[in-house]
Amino acid sequence: MITYVVAIIIGFLSFSSPFMDTTLNTKKIDRNIGKLTQFSWFKNLYEDEEYRRLFFVNRRVRSYLQNPIRVNALIKRKQAQKRFHALLDKQRQPRNN
């Protein structure tokens, strides 16, 4: 429960605080993707070309994967996996401007 609350607070701060570093750490993201590819649910997403592209070019998805608390939640909780999948679906939809 505490991990969940901390993840929410960090997630909120990471997108809203002007004092937070906005650069992405490619090594950290790649390491976290490596951790997640050990699980079949993630491997299936990673092998799908539409989703895989997001892991490399979409800033919001990469920011999500950079966060170790979120990645640990993805490993441990089905609900976090569903939310991540929903994020991927939302990010792959073409934007109508």
Side-chain angles (χ1 to χ4, degrees):
M1 179 69 178
I2 292 173
T3 305
Y4 180 70
V5 172
V6 171
I8 290 173
I9 292 170
I10 290 174
F12 178 74
L13 292 175
S14 68
F15 284 113
S16 64
S17 175
F19 305 109
M20 299 291 287
D21 186 14
T22 59
T23 60
L24 295 175
N25 185 329
T26 301
K27 287 181 182 181
K28 189 182 287 188
I29 296 166
D30 291 344
R31 185 175 47 240
N32 288 337
I33 288 173
K35 281 183 191 177
L36 291 168
T37 55
Q38 297 173 13
F39 302 93
S40 61
W41 67 268
F42 186 84
K43 196 177 265 188
N44 291 337
L45 290 173
Y46 193 75
E47 290 172 354
D48 184 324
E49 189 59 38
E50 288 185 41
Y51 290 120
R52 184 181 180 131
R53 185 174 187 281
L54 293 174
F55 298 138
F56 296 103
V57 299
N58 186 284
R59 183 168 184 77
R60 193 168 293 238
V61 172
R62 290 183 62 75
S63 177
Y64 194 97
L65 292 171
Q66 177 175 285
N67 185 307
I69 294 171
R70 288 184 183 146
V71 170
N72 286 333
L74 287 173
I75 290 169
K76 295 176 183 178
R77 296 195 342 261
K78 294 275 188 205
Q79 187 63 28
Q81 295 167 14
K82 288 178 185 177
R83 280 195 310 269
F84 179 67
H85 198 274
L87 170 69
L88 292 175
D89 286 338
K90 183 178 179 183
Q91 294 302 308
R92 80 178 187 161
Q93 293 175 355
R95 298 188 187 263
N96 296 329
N97 292 332

XYZ file of all heavy atoms in Angstrom:
831
model
N 0.818 -1.189 0.000
C 0.000 0.000 0.000
C 0.865 1.257 0.000
O 0.588 2.189 -0.727
C -0.930 -0.045 1.225
C -1.812 1.141 1.341
S -3.019 1.111 0.009
C -3.948 2.535 0.396
N 1.914 1.259 0.799
C 2.804 2.421 0.870
C 3.499 2.628 -0.471
O 3.618 3.762 -0.945
C 3.829 2.264 2.011
C 3.114 2.327 3.353
C 4.900 3.333 1.927
C 3.985 2.033 4.539
N 3.919 1.531 -1.110
C 4.574 1.630 -2.416
C 3.644 2.272 -3.427
O 4.067 3.103 -4.228
C 4.997 0.235 -2.908
O 5.812 -0.365 -1.909
C 5.759 0.321 -4.205
N 2.375 1.906 -3.375
C 1.387 2.455 -4.291
C 1.240 3.965 -4.094
O 1.227 4.730 -5.056
C 0.046 1.741 -4.084
C -1.052 2.225 -4.985
C -1.025 1.960 -6.341
C -2.110 2.961 -4.466
C -2.028 2.401 -7.165
C -3.118 3.410 -5.286
C -3.077 3.131 -6.640
O -4.062 3.581 -7.457
N 1.153 4.413 -2.857
C 1.008 5.831 -2.546
C 2.252 6.597 -2.994
O 2.155 7.670 -3.589
C 0.732 6.038 -1.039
C 0.767 7.511 -0.671
C -0.600 5.423 -0.656
N 3.425 6.043 -2.715
C 4.672 6.690 -3.121
C 4.742 6.794 -4.647
O 5.145 7.826 -5.188
C 5.898 5.925 -2.559
C 7.190 6.447 -3.157
C 5.929 6.030 -1.046
N 4.326 5.743 -5.356
C 4.340 5.764 -6.821
C 3.423 6.853 -7.357
O 3.774 7.555 -8.318
C 3.927 4.406 -7.373
N 2.275 7.021 -6.744
C 1.347 8.070 -7.173
C 1.957 9.450 -6.952
O 1.904 10.314 -7.839
C 0.004 7.948 -6.419
C -0.743 6.705 -6.894
C -0.852 9.196 -6.628
C -1.986 6.397 -6.102
N 2.545 9.655 -5.802
C 3.151 10.957 -5.495
C 4.305 11.251 -6.445
O 4.395 12.351 -6.997
C 3.619 11.005 -4.023
C 2.401 10.986 -3.096
C 4.487 12.238 -3.760
C 2.733 10.782 -1.640
N 5.165 10.282 -6.661
C 6.301 10.481 -7.573
C 5.813 10.718 -8.986
O 6.322 11.582 -9.702
C 7.278 9.295 -7.499
C 7.997 9.321 -6.154
C 8.288 9.342 -8.640
C 8.873 8.134 -5.888
N 4.812 9.954 -9.405
C 4.252 10.146 -10.738
C 3.679 11.533 -10.907
O 3.886 12.196 -11.924
N 2.975 12.009 -9.916
C 2.404 13.348 -9.958
C 3.497 14.400 -10.035
O 3.442 15.316 -10.847
C 1.509 13.587 -8.744
C 0.932 14.967 -8.698
C -0.093 15.336 -9.559
C 1.417 15.909 -7.808
C -0.621 16.610 -9.526
C 0.890 17.189 -7.762
C -0.128 17.543 -8.629
N 4.497 14.270 -9.204
C 5.580 15.240 -9.182
C 6.417 15.214 -10.450
O 6.871 16.254 -10.920
C 6.477 14.997 -7.968
C 5.858 15.285 -6.598
C 6.826 14.888 -5.493
C 5.465 16.739 -6.473
N 6.603 14.045 -11.014
C 7.467 13.943 -12.195
C 6.861 14.638 -13.407
O 7.575 15.081 -14.289
C 7.768 12.488 -12.512
O 6.603 11.828 -12.943
N 5.531 14.773 -13.456
C 4.902 15.426 -14.593
C 4.527 16.876 -14.316
O 4.243 17.619 -15.227
C 3.645 14.670 -15.029
C 3.949 13.420 -15.783
C 3.647 12.192 -15.240
C 4.556 13.459 -17.013
C 3.927 11.029 -15.925
C 4.850 12.314 -17.708
C 4.540 11.092 -17.166
N 4.558 17.296 -13.053
C 4.047 18.623 -12.763
C 5.071 19.598 -12.189
O 4.838 20.779 -12.185
C 2.859 18.512 -11.798
O 3.286 17.988 -10.568
N 6.171 19.112 -11.698
C 7.113 20.000 -11.030
C 8.110 20.609 -12.006
O 8.811 19.884 -12.721
C 7.876 19.231 -9.949
O 8.852 20.076 -9.392
N 8.216 21.930 -12.018
C 9.209 22.564 -12.894
C 10.635 22.375 -12.380
O 11.585 22.632 -13.096
C 8.812 24.042 -12.856
C 8.089 24.214 -11.567
C 7.421 22.890 -11.293
N 10.781 21.893 -11.146
C 12.113 21.716 -10.566
C 12.690 20.331 -10.819
O 13.839 20.079 -10.531
C 12.064 21.984 -9.061
C 11.507 23.333 -8.737
C 10.248 23.457 -8.170
C 12.216 24.481 -9.039
C 9.726 24.702 -7.889
C 11.695 25.729 -8.762
C 10.441 25.852 -8.188
N 11.865 19.421 -11.320
C 12.322 18.063 -11.588
C 13.104 18.040 -12.902
O 12.789 18.769 -13.833
C 11.142 17.095 -11.682
C 10.317 16.986 -10.411
S 11.167 16.196 -9.060
C 11.147 14.527 -9.623
N 14.100 17.192 -12.963
C 14.884 17.008 -14.182
C 14.005 16.334 -15.237
O 13.404 15.301 -14.974
C 16.107 16.149 -13.868
C 17.051 16.017 -15.044
O 16.909 16.787 -16.014
O 17.926 15.140 -14.980
N 13.926 16.919 -16.422
C 13.047 16.383 -17.460
C 13.785 15.513 -18.474
O 13.171 15.029 -19.413
C 12.334 17.521 -18.211
O 13.319 18.384 -18.795
C 11.433 18.301 -17.276
N 15.091 15.319 -18.298
C 15.820 14.462 -19.221
C 15.546 13.002 -18.895
O 15.250 12.650 -17.760
C 17.341 14.730 -19.146
O 17.784 14.479 -17.817
C 17.660 16.148 -19.545
N 15.648 12.178 -19.913
C 15.427 10.748 -19.733
C 16.763 10.025 -19.703
O 17.677 10.352 -20.454
C 14.560 10.204 -20.869
C 13.139 10.754 -20.922
C 12.418 10.239 -22.162
C 12.374 10.386 -19.681
N 16.866 9.033 -18.846
C 18.082 8.257 -18.687
C 17.940 6.960 -19.492
O 17.286 6.011 -19.054
C 18.304 7.957 -17.205
C 19.604 7.256 -16.944
O 20.091 6.493 -17.769
N 20.164 7.498 -15.775
N 18.535 6.930 -20.669
C 18.397 5.796 -21.583
C 18.904 4.499 -20.961
O 18.290 3.447 -21.125
C 19.143 6.085 -22.903
O 18.576 7.266 -23.480
C 19.016 4.940 -23.873
N 20.008 4.559 -20.226
C 20.545 3.342 -19.599
C 19.554 2.757 -18.606
O 19.348 1.550 -18.539
C 21.877 3.626 -18.909
C 23.015 3.842 -19.868
C 24.309 4.084 -19.132
C 25.431 4.347 -20.107
N 26.706 4.559 -19.426
N 18.943 3.623 -17.815
C 17.980 3.172 -16.810
C 16.747 2.572 -17.503
O 16.242 1.527 -17.083
C 17.560 4.356 -15.932
C 16.741 3.961 -14.732
C 16.299 5.171 -13.923
C 17.445 5.771 -13.152
N 16.983 6.828 -12.215
N 16.278 3.217 -18.560
C 15.118 2.716 -19.300
C 15.431 1.358 -19.909
O 14.638 0.417 -19.803
C 14.685 3.727 -20.381
C 14.208 5.023 -19.721
C 13.599 3.139 -21.271
C 14.076 6.192 -20.668
N 16.589 1.244 -20.550
C 16.984 -0.035 -21.159
C 17.114 -1.142 -20.120
O 16.706 -2.282 -20.350
C 18.301 0.117 -21.928
C 18.161 0.978 -23.178
O 17.016 1.214 -23.613
O 19.200 1.418 -23.701
N 17.668 -0.814 -18.966
C 17.801 -1.794 -17.890
C 16.419 -2.248 -17.405
O 16.181 -3.443 -17.193
C 18.612 -1.193 -16.737
C 18.912 -2.168 -15.623
C 19.823 -1.591 -14.552
N 19.427 -0.268 -14.107
C 20.178 0.833 -14.200
N 21.394 0.770 -14.706
N 19.740 1.997 -13.776
N 15.491 -1.311 -17.262
C 14.151 -1.654 -16.819
C 13.393 -2.462 -17.873
O 12.655 -3.387 -17.538
C 13.367 -0.400 -16.423
C 13.865 0.188 -15.132
O 14.471 -0.493 -14.317
N 13.620 1.470 -14.929
N 13.588 -2.135 -19.136
C 12.981 -2.935 -20.207
C 13.554 -4.351 -20.152
O 12.825 -5.330 -20.310
C 13.208 -2.288 -21.596
C 12.336 -1.027 -21.727
C 12.893 -3.262 -22.718
C 12.588 -0.218 -22.983
N 14.852 -4.473 -19.907
C 15.471 -5.786 -19.769
C 14.856 -6.600 -18.635
O 14.626 -7.806 -18.779
N 14.584 -5.940 -17.510
C 13.921 -6.627 -16.393
C 12.538 -7.123 -16.806
O 12.141 -8.240 -16.491
C 13.741 -5.677 -15.203
C 14.919 -5.441 -14.357
C 14.486 -4.521 -13.203
C 15.645 -3.998 -12.421
N 15.214 -3.073 -11.361
N 11.811 -6.257 -17.492
C 10.430 -6.581 -17.840
C 10.318 -7.656 -18.923
O 9.328 -8.389 -18.954
C 9.687 -5.315 -18.275
C 9.427 -4.303 -17.161
C 8.964 -2.976 -17.734
C 8.410 -4.855 -16.175
N 11.324 -7.761 -19.790
C 11.258 -8.774 -20.856
C 11.373 -10.197 -20.313
O 11.189 -11.155 -21.060
C 12.332 -8.541 -21.941
O 13.618 -8.481 -21.336
C 12.050 -7.291 -22.744
N 11.632 -10.344 -19.036
C 11.655 -11.671 -18.424
C 10.243 -12.211 -18.195
O 10.075 -13.379 -17.871
C 12.403 -11.629 -17.092
C 13.853 -11.248 -17.235
C 14.523 -11.056 -15.885
O 13.982 -11.423 -14.850
N 15.703 -10.477 -15.904
N 9.244 -11.353 -18.378
C 7.863 -11.734 -18.130
C 7.102 -11.827 -19.455
O 7.222 -10.943 -20.304
C 7.193 -10.725 -17.190
C 7.916 -10.607 -15.881
C 8.896 -9.644 -15.687
C 7.640 -11.496 -14.849
C 9.583 -9.552 -14.491
C 8.325 -11.416 -13.649
C 9.299 -10.447 -13.473
N 6.328 -12.882 -19.600
C 5.661 -13.147 -20.878
C 4.688 -12.046 -21.281
O 4.596 -11.711 -22.456
C 4.951 -14.501 -20.846
O 3.962 -14.513 -19.835
N 3.956 -11.459 -20.328
C 2.987 -10.415 -20.677
C 3.689 -9.224 -21.316
O 3.180 -8.629 -22.266
C 2.175 -9.970 -19.449
C 2.996 -9.256 -18.414
C 3.631 -9.812 -17.349
C 3.299 -7.860 -18.383
N 4.308 -8.838 -16.643
C 4.118 -7.626 -17.260
C 2.952 -6.779 -19.187
C 4.592 -6.364 -16.934
C 3.429 -5.521 -18.859
C 4.245 -5.328 -17.739
N 4.896 -8.877 -20.815
C 5.642 -7.758 -21.377
C 6.309 -8.155 -22.688
O 6.337 -7.370 -23.636
C 6.687 -7.241 -20.392
C 7.388 -5.999 -20.879
C 6.816 -4.756 -20.685
C 8.600 -6.078 -21.542
C 7.443 -3.610 -21.145
C 9.238 -4.944 -22.002
C 8.655 -3.695 -21.801
N 6.819 -9.368 -22.718
C 7.474 -9.850 -23.930
C 6.512 -9.813 -25.120
O 6.892 -9.445 -26.231
C 8.009 -11.263 -23.717
C 9.011 -11.703 -24.759
C 9.547 -13.075 -24.433
C 10.835 -12.911 -23.666
N 11.542 -14.176 -23.452
N 5.246 -10.173 -24.870
C 4.238 -10.113 -25.938
C 4.034 -8.687 -26.436
O 3.909 -8.458 -27.640
C 2.906 -10.689 -25.447
C 2.973 -12.179 -25.223
O 3.809 -12.878 -25.792
N 2.105 -12.681 -24.370
N 4.013 -7.731 -25.524
C 3.895 -6.324 -25.927
C 5.138 -5.875 -26.693
O 5.046 -5.196 -27.711
C 3.719 -5.424 -24.702
C 2.413 -5.506 -23.941
C 2.492 -4.668 -22.670
C 1.263 -5.048 -24.816
N 6.283 -6.273 -26.184
C 7.557 -5.845 -26.764
C 7.744 -6.390 -28.185
O 8.361 -5.746 -29.026
C 8.698 -6.298 -25.857
C 10.024 -5.671 -26.163
C 10.287 -4.357 -25.824
C 11.040 -6.398 -26.785
C 11.511 -3.774 -26.096
C 12.268 -5.824 -27.058
C 12.492 -4.509 -26.718
O 13.702 -3.942 -26.988
N 7.212 -7.570 -28.438
C 7.348 -8.173 -29.764
C 6.353 -7.604 -30.770
O 6.532 -7.760 -31.970
C 7.201 -9.689 -29.663
C 8.383 -10.329 -28.953
C 8.195 -11.800 -28.670
O 7.095 -12.337 -28.918
O 9.158 -12.417 -28.176
N 5.313 -6.937 -30.307
C 4.347 -6.282 -31.184
C 4.958 -4.968 -31.672
O 5.278 -4.080 -30.880
C 3.048 -6.015 -30.415
C 1.960 -5.419 -31.286
O 2.262 -4.604 -32.187
O 0.794 -5.766 -31.053
N 5.109 -4.835 -32.974
C 5.816 -3.691 -33.559
C 5.193 -2.342 -33.169
O 5.912 -1.375 -32.915
C 5.868 -3.819 -35.086
C 6.751 -2.799 -35.755
C 8.208 -2.850 -35.305
O 8.739 -3.944 -35.083
O 8.825 -1.773 -35.173
N 3.870 -2.273 -33.104
C 3.222 -1.002 -32.752
C 3.571 -0.571 -31.334
O 3.798 0.609 -31.073
C 1.706 -1.123 -32.894
C 1.245 -1.178 -34.327
C -0.273 -1.172 -34.424
O -0.913 -0.419 -33.670
O -0.801 -1.913 -35.258
N 3.588 -1.508 -30.408
C 3.941 -1.181 -29.031
C 5.443 -0.977 -28.884
O 5.885 -0.060 -28.189
C 3.486 -2.290 -28.076
C 2.000 -2.380 -27.906
C 1.313 -3.537 -28.242
C 1.262 -1.320 -27.397
C -0.057 -3.640 -28.079
C -0.105 -1.408 -27.229
C -0.760 -2.569 -27.572
O -2.114 -2.653 -27.403
N 6.225 -1.818 -29.530
C 7.679 -1.741 -29.385
C 8.203 -0.367 -29.781
O 9.087 0.189 -29.131
C 8.334 -2.830 -30.233
C 9.829 -2.871 -30.056
C 10.454 -3.936 -30.922
N 11.871 -3.942 -30.734
C 12.579 -5.014 -30.500
N 11.998 -6.178 -30.432
N 13.870 -4.936 -30.345
N 7.626 0.190 -30.817
C 8.047 1.516 -31.272
C 7.878 2.547 -30.148
O 8.722 3.420 -29.964
C 7.228 1.917 -32.494
C 7.659 3.205 -33.111
C 6.879 3.462 -34.407
N 7.396 4.616 -35.081
C 7.109 5.881 -34.739
N 6.312 6.111 -33.720
N 7.620 6.883 -35.411
N 6.793 2.433 -29.387
C 6.549 3.375 -28.292
C 7.650 3.320 -27.235
O 7.979 4.343 -26.630
C 5.195 3.072 -27.626
C 3.953 3.311 -28.458
C 2.719 2.830 -27.712
C 3.822 4.772 -28.843
N 8.211 2.137 -27.009
C 9.262 1.991 -26.003
C 10.506 2.804 -26.358
O 11.305 3.134 -25.485
C 9.656 0.525 -25.822
C 8.532 -0.350 -25.331
C 8.337 -1.599 -25.879
C 7.662 0.071 -24.349
C 7.317 -2.422 -25.443
C 6.631 -0.734 -23.904
C 6.460 -1.988 -24.449
N 10.666 3.129 -27.640
C 11.870 3.832 -28.078
C 11.637 5.295 -28.441
O 12.574 6.091 -28.377
C 12.501 3.107 -29.267
C 12.989 1.743 -28.908
C 12.267 0.624 -29.272
C 14.141 1.575 -28.172
C 12.695 -0.647 -28.920
C 14.584 0.315 -27.808
C 13.852 -0.793 -28.188
N 10.410 5.662 -28.832
C 10.201 7.028 -29.319
C 9.211 7.856 -28.513
O 9.219 9.079 -28.622
C 9.760 7.039 -30.803
C 10.813 6.409 -31.688
C 8.423 6.366 -30.990
N 8.384 7.242 -27.705
C 7.348 7.983 -26.989
C 7.866 8.432 -25.630
O 8.205 7.615 -24.765
C 6.090 7.119 -26.836
C 4.958 7.888 -26.237
O 4.934 8.144 -25.044
N 3.998 8.264 -27.073
N 7.925 9.715 -25.437
C 8.489 10.284 -24.211
C 7.705 9.870 -22.964
O 8.284 9.584 -21.924
C 8.537 11.804 -24.329
C 9.180 12.456 -23.145
C 9.481 13.920 -23.432
N 10.176 14.528 -22.340
C 11.464 14.369 -22.053
N 12.199 13.605 -22.809
N 12.027 14.972 -21.040
N 6.394 9.842 -23.053
C 5.577 9.499 -21.885
C 5.804 8.037 -21.477
O 5.942 7.730 -20.297
C 4.102 9.736 -22.187
C 3.245 9.695 -20.958
C 1.881 10.217 -21.271
N 1.950 11.630 -21.579
C 1.294 12.571 -20.927
N 0.514 12.246 -19.944
N 1.412 13.828 -21.255
N 5.873 7.144 -22.460
C 6.114 5.723 -22.170
C 7.524 5.542 -21.617
O 7.728 4.821 -20.645
C 5.889 4.862 -23.433
C 6.320 3.426 -23.208
C 4.426 4.927 -23.863
N 8.487 6.224 -22.211
C 9.872 6.096 -21.741
C 10.024 6.655 -20.324
O 10.724 6.085 -19.490
C 10.836 6.784 -22.705
C 10.930 6.017 -24.026
C 11.916 6.617 -24.988
N 13.280 6.626 -24.506
C 14.085 5.567 -24.435
N 13.660 4.388 -24.817
N 15.320 5.687 -23.996
N 9.338 7.738 -20.042
C 9.371 8.301 -18.698
C 8.771 7.318 -17.698
O 9.288 7.147 -16.593
C 8.602 9.621 -18.672
O 8.558 10.147 -17.377
N 7.692 6.659 -18.087
C 7.059 5.656 -17.235
C 8.030 4.517 -16.947
O 8.169 4.085 -15.814
C 5.807 5.133 -17.933
C 4.873 4.355 -17.048
C 3.772 4.968 -16.471
C 5.078 3.008 -16.799
C 2.900 4.267 -15.662
C 4.218 2.297 -15.984
C 3.123 2.925 -15.427
O 2.276 2.221 -14.631
N 8.727 4.065 -17.987
C 9.655 2.941 -17.846
C 10.944 3.318 -17.127
O 11.680 2.445 -16.678
C 9.980 2.351 -19.223
C 8.823 1.649 -19.910
C 9.182 1.303 -21.347
C 8.418 0.410 -19.138
N 11.219 4.594 -17.012
C 12.417 5.035 -16.310
C 12.236 4.951 -14.798
O 13.203 4.783 -14.057
C 12.723 6.480 -16.711
C 13.917 7.082 -15.993
C 14.233 8.451 -16.501
O 14.775 8.579 -17.578
N 13.898 9.479 -15.736
N 11.010 5.004 -14.335
C 10.719 5.053 -12.907
C 10.787 3.657 -12.288
O 9.977 2.793 -12.611
C 9.326 5.659 -12.715
C 8.985 5.869 -11.277
O 9.085 4.948 -10.474
N 8.568 7.074 -10.948
N 11.741 3.416 -11.368
C 11.895 2.074 -10.785
C 10.702 1.623 -9.944
O 10.390 0.431 -9.884
C 13.159 2.181 -9.935
C 13.347 3.638 -9.690
C 12.729 4.358 -10.856
N 10.011 2.555 -9.324
C 8.833 2.189 -8.522
C 7.722 1.670 -9.429
O 7.081 0.666 -9.135
C 8.364 3.386 -7.668
C 9.430 3.719 -6.631
C 7.022 3.085 -7.002
C 9.183 4.996 -5.867
N 7.512 2.355 -10.539
C 6.488 1.902 -11.490
C 6.858 0.556 -12.098
O 5.996 -0.309 -12.277
C 6.310 2.932 -12.592
C 5.624 4.185 -12.144
C 5.420 5.096 -13.314
N 4.829 6.344 -12.887
C 5.092 7.500 -13.446
N 5.928 7.574 -14.458
N 4.519 8.593 -13.017
N 8.134 0.378 -12.429
C 8.575 -0.888 -13.022
C 8.381 -2.030 -12.015
O 7.901 -3.107 -12.386
C 10.041 -0.789 -13.504
C 10.587 -2.147 -13.901
C 10.136 0.186 -14.676
N 8.717 -1.808 -10.760
C 8.493 -2.842 -9.743
C 7.012 -3.144 -9.584
O 6.634 -4.294 -9.377
C 9.116 -2.432 -8.411
C 10.625 -2.543 -8.433
O 11.187 -3.334 -9.179
N 11.287 -1.731 -7.637
N 6.177 -2.119 -9.686
C 4.731 -2.348 -9.616
C 4.274 -3.181 -10.814
O 3.424 -4.068 -10.667
C 3.984 -1.018 -9.577
N 4.844 -2.924 -11.984
C 4.498 -3.712 -13.173
C 4.865 -5.178 -12.981
O 4.154 -6.073 -13.439
C 5.220 -3.167 -14.412
C 4.709 -1.852 -14.976
C 5.632 -1.355 -16.075
C 3.297 -2.006 -15.492
N 5.963 -5.419 -12.317
C 6.413 -6.785 -12.077
C 5.492 -7.492 -11.082
O 5.190 -8.674 -11.245
C 7.880 -6.780 -11.564
C 8.811 -6.351 -12.703
C 8.277 -8.141 -11.015
C 10.233 -6.060 -12.269
N 5.008 -6.765 -10.092
C 4.290 -7.388 -8.987
C 2.769 -7.384 -9.106
O 2.116 -8.239 -8.518
C 4.664 -6.684 -7.677
C 6.112 -6.856 -7.305
C 6.446 -6.071 -6.062
C 7.924 -6.207 -5.741
N 8.295 -5.424 -4.576
N 2.197 -6.416 -9.838
C 0.745 -6.256 -9.772
C 0.066 -6.257 -11.140
O 0.462 -5.520 -12.041
C 0.407 -4.957 -9.049
C 0.866 -4.987 -7.603
C 0.267 -3.906 -6.720
N -0.311 -2.780 -7.381
C 0.297 -1.606 -7.560
N 1.520 -1.419 -7.131
N -0.327 -0.622 -8.143
N -0.956 -7.063 -11.269
C -1.741 -7.143 -12.509
C -2.405 -5.810 -12.828
O -2.502 -5.423 -13.985
C -2.821 -8.234 -12.397
C -2.275 -9.619 -12.299
C -1.998 -10.148 -13.668
C -1.623 -11.627 -13.548
N -0.813 -12.049 -14.654
N -2.872 -5.112 -11.787
C -3.549 -3.830 -12.010
C -2.588 -2.818 -12.640
O -2.970 -2.053 -13.523
C -4.110 -3.286 -10.686
C -4.962 -2.063 -10.847
C -6.218 -2.306 -11.669
O -6.743 -3.408 -11.705
N -6.690 -1.288 -12.332
N -1.352 -2.795 -12.214
C -0.349 -1.896 -12.789
C -0.084 -2.272 -14.246
O 0.091 -1.393 -15.094
C 0.942 -1.952 -11.981
N -0.084 -3.563 -14.535
C 0.107 -4.021 -15.912
C -1.043 -3.550 -16.801
O -0.825 -3.112 -17.935
C 0.217 -5.534 -15.952
C 1.440 -6.066 -15.247
C 1.398 -7.565 -15.017
O 0.577 -8.272 -15.598
N 2.269 -8.056 -14.148
N -2.264 -3.617 -16.279
C -3.432 -3.162 -17.046
C -3.353 -1.659 -17.315
O -3.652 -1.204 -18.417
C -4.720 -3.497 -16.291
C -5.045 -4.967 -16.287
C -6.311 -5.238 -15.492
C -6.573 -6.727 -15.386
N -7.757 -7.005 -14.564
N -2.942 -0.899 -16.296
C -2.809 0.555 -16.484
C -1.724 0.882 -17.505
O -1.879 1.792 -18.330
C -2.499 1.238 -15.156
C -3.716 1.439 -14.281
C -3.464 2.426 -13.156
N -2.265 2.150 -12.400
C -2.209 1.393 -11.316
N -3.292 0.819 -10.848
N -1.059 1.202 -10.690
N -0.620 0.145 -17.461
C 0.462 0.361 -18.425
C -0.018 0.039 -19.839
O 0.256 0.790 -20.778
C 1.676 -0.500 -18.054
C 2.831 -0.353 -18.995
C 3.523 0.844 -19.082
C 3.233 -1.404 -19.799
C 4.592 0.987 -19.958
C 4.305 -1.277 -20.668
C 4.985 -0.079 -20.747
N -0.741 -1.036 -19.982
C -1.275 -1.416 -21.288
C -2.230 -0.338 -21.799
O -2.218 0.013 -22.990
C -1.971 -2.775 -21.195
C -2.162 -3.426 -22.513
N -3.245 -3.166 -23.311
C -1.410 -4.325 -23.194
C -3.162 -3.874 -24.416
N -2.051 -4.585 -24.361
N -3.044 0.215 -20.905
C -3.958 1.296 -21.287
C -3.174 2.536 -21.724
O -3.557 3.212 -22.689
C -4.887 1.633 -20.126
N -2.071 2.833 -21.027
C -1.216 3.953 -21.421
C -0.668 3.725 -22.823
O -0.679 4.626 -23.663
C -0.060 4.122 -20.431
C 1.042 5.100 -20.859
C 0.543 6.530 -20.857
C 2.259 4.960 -19.966
N -0.195 2.513 -23.092
C 0.329 2.197 -24.422
C -0.750 2.375 -25.490
O -0.496 2.963 -26.545
C 0.872 0.767 -24.462
C 2.122 0.490 -23.639
C 2.468 -0.998 -23.691
C 3.296 1.319 -24.116
N -1.945 1.876 -25.212
C -3.038 2.012 -26.174
C -3.361 3.479 -26.430
O -3.580 3.885 -27.568
C -4.286 1.273 -25.697
C -4.155 -0.237 -25.835
O -3.319 -0.700 -26.651
O -4.868 -0.957 -25.123
N -3.381 4.264 -25.381
C -3.687 5.691 -25.521
C -2.604 6.394 -26.333
O -2.901 7.240 -27.178
C -3.806 6.334 -24.145
C -4.182 7.783 -24.192
C -4.340 8.364 -22.805
C -4.689 9.832 -22.874
N -4.781 10.439 -21.556
N -1.357 6.034 -26.116
C -0.247 6.691 -26.802
C -0.136 6.267 -28.267
O 0.387 7.024 -29.081
C 1.069 6.409 -26.083
C 1.143 7.018 -24.701
C 0.952 8.519 -24.712
O 1.623 9.234 -25.440
N 0.012 8.998 -23.916
N -0.620 5.112 -28.606
C -0.496 4.671 -30.001
C -1.640 5.159 -30.885
O -1.548 5.086 -32.092
C -0.321 3.169 -30.094
C -1.543 2.373 -29.973
C -1.257 0.912 -30.133
N -2.547 0.265 -30.167
C -2.798 -0.913 -30.623
N -1.804 -1.625 -31.079
N -3.989 -1.392 -30.628
N -2.701 5.676 -30.264
C -3.804 6.202 -31.044
C -3.360 7.493 -31.728
O -2.711 8.327 -31.126
C -5.008 6.488 -30.154
C -5.638 5.270 -29.574
C -6.762 5.610 -28.603
O -7.000 6.766 -28.294
N -7.416 4.584 -28.121
N -3.725 7.640 -32.993
C -3.361 8.877 -33.694
C -4.085 10.058 -33.060
O -5.215 9.962 -32.646
C -3.821 8.656 -35.124
C -4.739 7.496 -35.081
C -4.468 6.725 -33.824
N -3.373 11.151 -32.971
C -3.958 12.342 -32.366
C -4.654 13.167 -33.440
O -4.112 13.419 -34.509
C -2.886 13.185 -31.696
C -2.213 12.420 -30.582
C -1.305 13.352 -29.811
N -0.538 12.587 -28.865
C -0.875 12.457 -27.589
N -1.939 13.033 -27.141
N -0.116 11.765 -26.775
N -5.842 13.595 -33.120
C -6.606 14.458 -34.028
C -6.503 15.889 -33.517
O -7.126 16.259 -32.561
C -8.088 14.029 -34.072
C -8.248 12.646 -34.648
O -7.461 12.236 -35.498
N -9.241 11.928 -34.189
N -5.684 16.673 -34.181
C -5.487 18.061 -33.743
C -6.319 18.993 -34.547
O -6.555 18.991 -35.626
C -4.016 18.474 -33.850
C -3.177 17.698 -32.836
O -3.676 17.292 -31.799
N -1.918 17.523 -33.148
